[in-house]
Amino acid sequence: MKIAIAGYGVVGRGAHELLLKNHAAIAARLGEELTVKYVLDPKDLTGTPGEGLKAAGIGEVLADPEIGLLVEAIGGVGAAYDYVRAALESGRSVVTPNKQLIAEKGAELLALAKEKDAALLFEPAVAGGTPVLWPIAHCLAANELDLAAGILNGTTNYILTKMVAEGADFAATLADAQRLGYAEADPTADIEGIDACRKACILADLLFGRHTDPEKVFAQGITKITAGDVAAADQAGFVVKLIGQARKMPDGKVLCLVTPALIGKGHPLAAVNDVFNAVMVHGNGVGEVMFYGRGAGDLPTGSAVLGDVIEAVRTGCRYDPMMSWTDCGSDHLADRRDYAIDALCRVKEPFAGLAARFPGAACIWERDGETAALVHGVPEGELEDYLAGRAVSPYIRVFAR
Amino acid sequence: MKIAIAGYGVVGRGAHELLLKNHAAIAARLGEELTVKYVLDPKDLTGTPGEGLKAAGIGEVLADPEIGLLVEAIGGVGAAYDYVRAALESGRSVVTPNKQLIAEKGAELLALAKEKDAALLFEPAVAGGTPVLWPIAHCLAANELDLAAGILNGTTNYILTKMVAEGADFAATLADAQRLGYAEADPTADIEGIDACRKACILADLLFGRHTDPEKVFAQGITKITAGDVAAADQAGFVVKLIGQARKMPDGKVLCLVTPALIGKGHPLAAVNDVFNAVMVHGNGVGEVMFYGRGAGDLPTGSAVLGDVIEAVRTGCRYDPMMSWTDCGSDHLADRRDYAIDALCRVKEPFAGLAARFPGAACIWERDGETAALVHGVPEGELEDYLAGRAVSPYIRVFAR
């Protein structure tokens, strides 16, 4: 099997390097040689493993009958979208780590893959190297799944881990992370929760079989988390994590959102630190399952890209109906304001005031004219409205004790 | 597709109940009805979902051309072995949670499955409901894997979790676990590490492609762990867990063993508590990955059984060469005594004595004529010989900091 790689950045090149590194073992497992015949990237490939493989354009690649599969690692929804459509239209299979493309255009592209009976796989789009989507769709296929949630972005998890360990504030920690290469020069997509939102949408898509439009999903980043929030959480027995979640509510609606959230210190997600990712899934047979590993990086993401390529080749490059969803509107989405939450609140009033409004609240501290407290079972809309004008910091919901 | 279930205990019945519970969703995902036509079990099935499905014997089941797959949930290597061989001989596929059968006879049965081009799947044999074997063999197929290790037995993890939380001794905690149904009346296979050893062998088999004979694997249980060991570990920043591991050593040999081991409190395995299992895998592309979930129970294990049934049906009930190994002797196995370890030692001598013999040792405490200390980088054989006659408790190796 000969493949083409479009986009030769960290992930595209990482996948190629890993294939060369483990070439013999992969061929032995698959019973077939796997070779990169073309690389599609405007940059100079001299000195890279892609040297001598540069294609003139997607037309040259798709005109070659030896090419059975395209790895799209360009990113975004411009050329990436055009190339993936063209490849599928031509009956070629596609593997992509492109979470924006799958979150925004997945339903449409899966419909095309189905029509052409071609594989469209995207394991690396969620949690990078960590196997998540395939095990959910297949190993847990006997379950009714009602929750997938977790730590979906390594940059923000690195920053929060440092803030928890060092009691540092957000801005200083971000600057450190940028200096060390754990955060990009423009970190917006990470720190504002946009990247995690795409991954939460893909999890919702896969669990519930319906396209979840990222534009309609509430995503809050970590830019407003302060050292004071982290300290109040710590005193109440929690750590702060950025959690993306896709959850079937008791009324049948799907709650999909990304927010900072509190995790009890003994919970397995609390031990997911630095740039690691983890996804927890709940099913009515299996109970809770968690997948943990690296969410980014050249070789880890390359591992997931190649795992998908191997799976596609092994199963004859055919469409996989178990790894799919359709677009039938957004009327299944829940409004977070309608549901009760537990949350950490920090307000400029005595604890008595908060407790009078929300019975069952538990005081964490009262000091310097500020109260930190945990409220319990409060409809989120009511809490949000009450805190407007009173809050020292945005409230942080409890995800798990 | 019609299937038969042999052995209608916790797992066989659990798989049947989960199939009935999620029948419509499973049929929709698979594009095909999945029905249990026979149950093979001498017990009275009245009042169970198996009522009216009792087969007279394996002969009746295999004579029925409608039956494509046998779920073997009898356990052990007596009738289970005979039935699985007979089913494979007849060209039927087999799914089994039977870790003893796969650990002892897996290579032989996989050779037969290959000859007949039938599926032989056994995801539930390691970590129960948690997807582990399939993701290792397929999602991580682009890696050279050098380690699979983890908490492979729920009963011992429950006991150790209580001992750590309560500072209690082994015997009292075991009695509690038996009273609550977390340990069996005869807990030998669990507490002596025999069950974990079978699972470690299956992980070694899958990672390195060679049969690992459980008889040749060192397996030590938790019966000698005391409250004092747990306290010394705690003071040094560790918790005690029963760890099964399969590791490719730098010299190319495979170290497979089950022992109590120390896990740093911040390590993800330290957060795996109660009856939960977790398997950590290391590959040269992906780095560290961990799978976490329930290692036993009717519906969790049933989820893995049905996941395998769905996978077998989806892929045409064919032999899966990526989920296999062969028997070519035991000369690949390493002797643990040849390799350096870090370990917690408790001896009846002053710290100075231990430190003179093992430079770099770190004292945890000296009291009541006893020293607790961590030694570093000591060949296990030398340590074992030195401690003979001096030890208050068996040494406990460090698995992860």
Side-chain angles (χ1 to χ4, degrees):
Chain A
M1 163 66 86
K2 293 197 163 58
I3 68 175
I5 299 178
Y8 209 64
V10 169
V11 175
R13 181 175 167 166
H16 195 184
E17 282 176 348
L18 189 62
L19 174 59
L20 295 172
K21 185 172 178 154
N22 297 335
H23 187 258
I26 292 170
R29 276 170 209 150
L30 192 54
E32 178 171 352
E33 290 278 326
L34 204 58
T35 315
V36 176
K37 185 169 180 181
Y38 299 107
V39 171
L40 252 173
D41 194 303
K43 76 165 77 75
D44 181 10
L45 302 178
T46 311
T48 76
E51 187 170 344
L53 302 180
K54 187 174 245 182
I58 187 75
E60 182 190 359
V61 170
L62 298 181
D64 185 340
E66 278 200 327
I67 293 295
L69 186 146
L70 176 74
V71 171
E72 181 282 300
I74 302 167
V77 291
Y81 172 74
D82 296 337
Y83 287 14
V84 169
R85 274 210 72 100
L88 292 172
E89 288 280 7
S90 78
R92 270 36 174 258
S93 290
V94 172
V95 169
T96 178
N98 187 335
K99 48 236 176 190
Q100 185 181 359
L101 181 68
I102 296 301
E104 292 181 14
K105 306 285 187 187
E108 176 197 322
L109 295 171
L110 285 163
L112 179 57
K114 181 179 181 181
E115 185 195 321
K116 300 292 182 178
D117 196 13
L120 171 57
L121 298 176
F122 41 87
E123 178 65 64
V126 175
T130 315
V132 173
L133 302 179
W134 209 101
I136 288 175
H138 292 86
C139 300
L140 303 181
N143 291 266
E144 293 279 8
L145 300 171
D146 56 18
L147 174 70
I151 295 164
L152 304 175
N153 179 274
T155 300
T156 47
N157 201 48
Y158 175 85
I159 292 171
L160 288 171
T161 301
K162 293 289 160 207
M163 289 177 67
V164 168
E166 294 161 15
D169 244 321
F170 172 76
T173 314
L174 171 62
D176 270 356
Q178 286 175 310
R179 199 169 40 77
L180 294 166
Y182 292 125
E184 296 185 40
D186 177 0
T188 311
D190 292 321
I191 64 177
E192 297 293 358
I194 299 165
D195 174 76
C197 178
R198 290 170 182 147
K199 295 163 180 172
C201 287
I202 295 171
L203 289 169
D205 295 338
L206 187 63
L207 257 72
F208 307 119
R210 294 182 63 159
H211 173 63
T212 302
D213 182 354
E215 291 285 322
K216 298 208 160 60
V217 167
F218 181 79
Q220 187 185 341
I222 62 166
T223 57
K224 290 175 182 159
I225 301 290
T226 65
D229 299 332
V230 169
D234 177 69
Q235 202 164 318
F238 295 99
V239 294
V240 182
K241 298 285 186 189
L242 184 68
I243 298 290
Q245 54 183 302
R247 186 192 294 268
K248 179 81 70 90
M249 304 304 284
D251 61 11
K253 293 209 167 193
V254 170
L255 183 66
C256 186
L257 78 173
V258 175
T259 64
L262 302 185
I263 310 286
K265 288 179 189 175
H267 192 275
L269 284 172
V272 178
N273 286 322
D274 300 322
V275 296
F276 279 86
N277 283 202
V279 177
M280 184 152 271
V281 180
H282 184 270
N284 70 345
V286 75
E288 270 184 357
V289 168
M290 190 175 84
F291 307 98
Y292 165 98
R294 286 184 185 276
D298 54 351
L299 297 186
T301 311
S303 162
V305 168
L306 291 178
D308 270 359
V309 172
I310 291 167
E311 173 63 10
V313 174
R314 186 181 83 92
T315 52
C317 284
R318 313 224 13 215
Y319 172 68
D320 178 358
M322 293 172 75
M323 188 72 82
S324 75
W325 57 87
T326 53
D327 192 349
C328 42
S330 293
D331 60 333
H332 63 305
L333 293 180
D335 182 342
R336 69 187 168 84
R337 285 176 51 93
D338 296 343
Y339 301 88
I341 61 170
D342 297 354
L344 166 66
C345 309
R346 292 174 64 201
V347 289
K348 292 183 297 263
E349 68 173 4
F351 175 66
L354 191 76
R357 178 66 183 78
F358 300 114
C363 188
I364 300 169
W365 69 50
E366 269 188 300
R367 65 186 189 204
D368 308 329
E370 175 205 317
T371 295
L374 280 174
V375 298
H376 180 70
V378 177
E380 186 167 352
E382 284 180 32
L383 182 66
E384 201 168 29
D385 294 345
Y386 179 81
L387 294 177
R390 285 188 178 87
V392 176
S393 268
Y395 61 92
I396 307 176
R397 72 188 57 226
V398 175
F399 176 75
R401 284 178 187 277
Chain B
M1 164 66 89
K2 292 196 164 59
I3 68 174
I5 299 178
Y8 208 64
V10 169
V11 175
R13 182 175 166 166
H16 195 183
E17 281 174 350
L18 189 62
L19 175 58
L20 294 172
K21 186 173 177 150
N22 296 336
H23 187 258
I26 292 170
R29 277 169 209 153
L30 193 54
E32 177 172 353
E33 290 278 325
L34 203 57
T35 314
V36 176
K37 186 169 180 182
Y38 298 108
V39 172
L40 252 172
D41 194 303
K43 78 165 76 74
D44 181 9
L45 302 178
T46 311
T48 76
E51 187 170 345
L53 301 180
K54 186 176 250 186
I58 187 74
E60 182 190 358
V61 171
L62 299 181
D64 185 339
E66 277 199 329
I67 293 294
L69 185 148
L70 176 75
V71 172
E72 181 282 302
I74 300 167
V77 291
Y81 172 74
D82 296 337
Y83 287 14
V84 169
R85 273 209 73 98
L88 292 171
E89 287 282 6
S90 79
R92 268 39 172 256
S93 290
V94 171
V95 169
T96 179
N98 187 336
K99 47 235 175 190
Q100 184 181 359
L101 182 69
I102 296 301
E104 294 181 12
K105 307 286 188 186
E108 175 197 323
L109 295 171
L110 285 162
L112 180 57
K114 182 179 182 182
E115 184 194 323
K116 300 291 180 178
D117 196 13
L120 170 57
L121 298 176
F122 40 87
E123 178 65 66
V126 175
T130 315
V132 173
L133 301 179
W134 209 101
I136 288 175
H138 292 86
C139 300
L140 303 181
N143 292 265
E144 294 278 9
L145 300 171
D146 56 19
L147 173 71
I151 295 165
L152 304 175
N153 179 273
T155 300
T156 47
N157 201 47
Y158 176 84
I159 292 171
L160 289 172
T161 301
K162 293 288 159 206
M163 288 177 67
V164 168
E166 294 162 18
D169 246 320
F170 172 76
T173 314
L174 171 61
D176 270 356
Q178 287 175 310
R179 199 169 40 76
L180 294 166
Y182 292 124
E184 295 186 41
D186 177 0
T188 311
D190 292 320
I191 63 177
E192 297 293 358
I194 300 165
D195 175 76
C197 177
R198 290 170 182 147
K199 295 163 179 172
C201 287
I202 295 171
L203 289 168
D205 296 339
L206 188 63
L207 258 72
F208 307 118
R210 294 182 63 161
H211 173 63
T212 303
D213 182 353
E215 291 285 321
K216 298 207 162 62
V217 167
F218 181 78
Q220 187 185 340
I222 63 166
T223 57
K224 290 175 183 157
I225 301 290
T226 65
D229 298 333
V230 169
D234 178 68
Q235 203 166 319
F238 295 100
V239 294
V240 181
K241 297 285 186 189
L242 184 67
I243 298 290
Q245 53 182 302
R247 188 192 293 269
K248 180 82 69 88
M249 304 305 283
D251 61 11
K253 294 209 165 192
V254 170
L255 183 66
C256 186
L257 78 172
V258 175
T259 63
L262 301 185
I263 311 286
K265 288 178 189 174
H267 192 275
L269 284 173
V272 177
N273 286 321
D274 300 323
V275 297
F276 280 85
N277 283 202
V279 177
M280 184 153 271
V281 180
H282 184 270
N284 70 344
V286 75
E288 270 186 356
V289 167
M290 189 176 84
F291 306 97
Y292 164 97
R294 287 184 183 275
D298 54 353
L299 298 187
T301 312
S303 162
V305 167
L306 291 178
D308 270 359
V309 172
I310 291 167
E311 172 64 10
V313 174
R314 185 181 83 92
T315 51
C317 284
R318 310 216 26 207
Y319 172 69
D320 177 357
M322 294 172 74
M323 188 71 83
S324 75
W325 56 87
T326 54
D327 191 350
C328 41
S330 293
D331 60 333
H332 63 305
L333 293 180
D335 182 341
R336 68 186 168 83
R337 287 177 50 94
D338 296 344
Y339 301 87
I341 61 171
D342 297 355
L344 166 66
C345 308
R346 293 174 64 202
V347 289
K348 291 183 297 270
E349 68 172 6
F351 175 66
L354 191 76
R357 179 66 183 77
F358 300 114
C363 188
I364 300 170
W365 70 50
E366 268 187 302
R367 65 187 191 205
D368 309 329
E370 175 205 315
T371 295
L374 280 174
V375 298
H376 180 70
V378 177
E380 186 168 353
E382 284 180 32
L383 182 67
E384 200 169 29
D385 294 345
Y386 179 81
L387 294 177
R390 284 187 178 87
V392 176
S393 268
Y395 62 91
I396 307 177
R397 74 187 56 227
V398 174
F399 177 74
R401 282 176 190 277

